[in-house]
Each structure stands twice: as C-alpha cells, then as structure tokens.
Amino acid sequence: QVQLVESGGGLVQPGASLRLSCAAEGRTISSLSMGWFRQAPGKERDFVAHIRYSAALFPARTYYADSVKGRFTISRDSAKNTILLQMDSLKPEDTAVYYCAAAVGNVRAPMSSRDYDYWGQGTQVTVSS
C-alpha cells in the first residue's frame, strides 16, 4: 500500500509560479512510476506529467502533456521520497485540482489515469488576476 500526500497549491496571478510536492509513503519512489493529473471544474481529469526513475538511465525519464510542456517540470527529491512539479508561467486555464498518482513499477501508458494504483487527496491551484 502507498500513501501520497500533495502540498504546495494556492492562488496566484497569471505568469506566477508554484511548486507542488507529492510525498510517498509505503514505497520508495525508485520503485514507482509517478504522475500528476489535474481536474478543472466540470472537466475530465487530464494528464499533466509523469516521471520514472531508472538506475540504468539518469536523469529519470519524464513525459509531459502538450499543454504544459516548456512551462512545467517534474522532478524527484530522493532524500525526501518526494516528487515535485515546478509550474512556471501559470495561466488561468491551469486552474484545477492537481492530483499525484503512483503505480508500482512501470505503466503501459503514462498519460492514462487507469494505469495508476494510488492517488493523493489533491491540492487546489487557482490562477486568477
């Protein structure tokens, strides 16, 4: 069993930055595939970013949704067993509840929510002037 705890959300103005954190308990992140998803009011839950550590490849492999590529960066803090999502140049359309997700080992499709086994409680990100 894995527990995920997100933090770092808040209300910011367009163009500002936020950094989200996802702390994993129960397994080390080196044994997990981890991702971020987001869900805006009245919308479906969308893929944001994914990271998978590999001892044979450093840095870790990462994937991003086209809508955030170049603005968001997913990374890991191994000492804290935590996944980070650095969000820069935030736009109003980034407003959503952001969820951390994890799967044991690899996933078939990093962008598919069905491939993840564990989910955090979500953290609200609001971008508004």
Side-chain angles (χ1 to χ4, degrees), residues 55-119:
L57 180 63
F58 189 87
R61 290 167 291 186
T62 58
Y63 303 90
Y64 298 93
D66 289 342
S67 59
V68 307
K69 193 173 299 181
R71 298 188 298 121
F72 290 11
T73 304
I74 189 170
S75 62
R76 74 180 192 277
D77 185 339
S78 297
K80 298 181 179 179
N81 208 43
T82 295
I83 298 298
L84 306 174
L85 184 68
Q86 178 68 40
M87 305 185 295
D88 298 322
S89 302
L90 284 163
K91 306 175 181 179
E93 51 262 45
D94 294 319
T95 296
V97 177
Y98 283 69
Y99 296 92
C100 180
V104 178
N106 298 320
V107 296
R108 296 178 182 272
M111 70 294 301
S112 174
S113 62
R114 284 184 167 270
D115 280 11
Y116 295 84
D117 304 306
Y118 307 102
W119 294 84

Side-chain angles (χ1 to χ4, degrees), residues 9-37:
L11 193 157
V12 297
Q13 296 183 357
S17 297
L18 281 174
R19 186 172 69 177
L20 306 183
S21 297
C22 174
E25 301 177 4
R27 287 182 180 268
T28 61
I29 57 174
S30 64
S31 68
L32 300 170
S33 294
M34 302 191 68
W36 287 95
F37 291 76

